[in-house]
Amino acid sequence: QEHHVESGGGSVEAGGSLRLSCEASKYFVTTHCMGWFRQSPGKDREEVARIDSDGPTTYADSVKGRFTISRDNAKRTVYLQMNELKPEDTGMYYCTTAGDCGWLLLPRYSSWGQGTQVTVSS
């Protein structure tokens, strides 16, 4: 497909889990960095996690120990396993890819999906 397609969002209670998936577009190559960002109303877009082509991962401090990012290059898919969800995790989650992890937020050099909504109630 032309664009990344995210899935797996939904509504859960605090303490619950969700697994997000993102199938990358036809333009994806296995050397690309892949990442997840989220945005809540009134807040800037925030990087949640990233995974480089050879496996190294980085997480936002707010999700360390609770979220796990992984990828399956054969399926052109990146995953985000989210455990122990908190109300502050609520937001629209977007996947993104870029030739370099440092380019994930640069519109000219990155590709984005349409997002999947995650809502965590207390």
Side-chain angles (χ1 to χ4, degrees):
Q1 66 267 6
E2 291 288 328
H3 304 287
H4 303 339
V5 178
E6 298 99 335
S7 62
S11 297
V12 296
E13 293 185 351
S17 299
L18 285 173
R19 188 190 194 211
L20 306 184
S21 299
C22 172
E23 183 177 355
S25 75
K26 63 183 180 181
Y27 305 109
F28 169 78
V29 295
T30 58
T31 56
H32 282 177
C33 181
M34 308 180 86
W36 287 96
F37 286 70
R38 66 186 179 192
Q39 187 161 23
S40 303
K43 295 185 179 180
D44 292 333
R45 191 167 291 189
E46 170 192 24
E47 181 176 338
V48 176
R50 62 172 65 173
I51 182 167
D52 212 337
S53 58
D54 53 350
T57 57
T58 303
Y59 296 92
D61 287 343
S62 59
V63 307
K64 282 180 181 176
R66 300 188 297 121
F67 290 11
T68 303
I69 188 171
S70 60
R71 61 192 286 166
D72 184 335
N73 287 336
K75 295 182 179 179
R76 302 199 328 271
T77 299
V78 61
Y79 305 97
L80 187 68
Q81 177 66 45
M82 306 186 296
N83 299 327
E84 301 175 37
L85 282 161
K86 303 176 181 180
E88 51 263 44
D89 295 318
T90 294
M92 185 70 78
Y93 283 69
Y94 301 89
C95 76
T96 178
T97 62
D100 184 279
C101 283
W103 301 346
L104 287 175
L105 260 181
L106 301 178
R108 183 174 181 180
Y109 299 107
S110 60
S111 298
W112 291 74
Q114 296 300 304
T116 185
Q117 178 68 36
V118 171
T119 303
V120 185
S121 58
S122 57

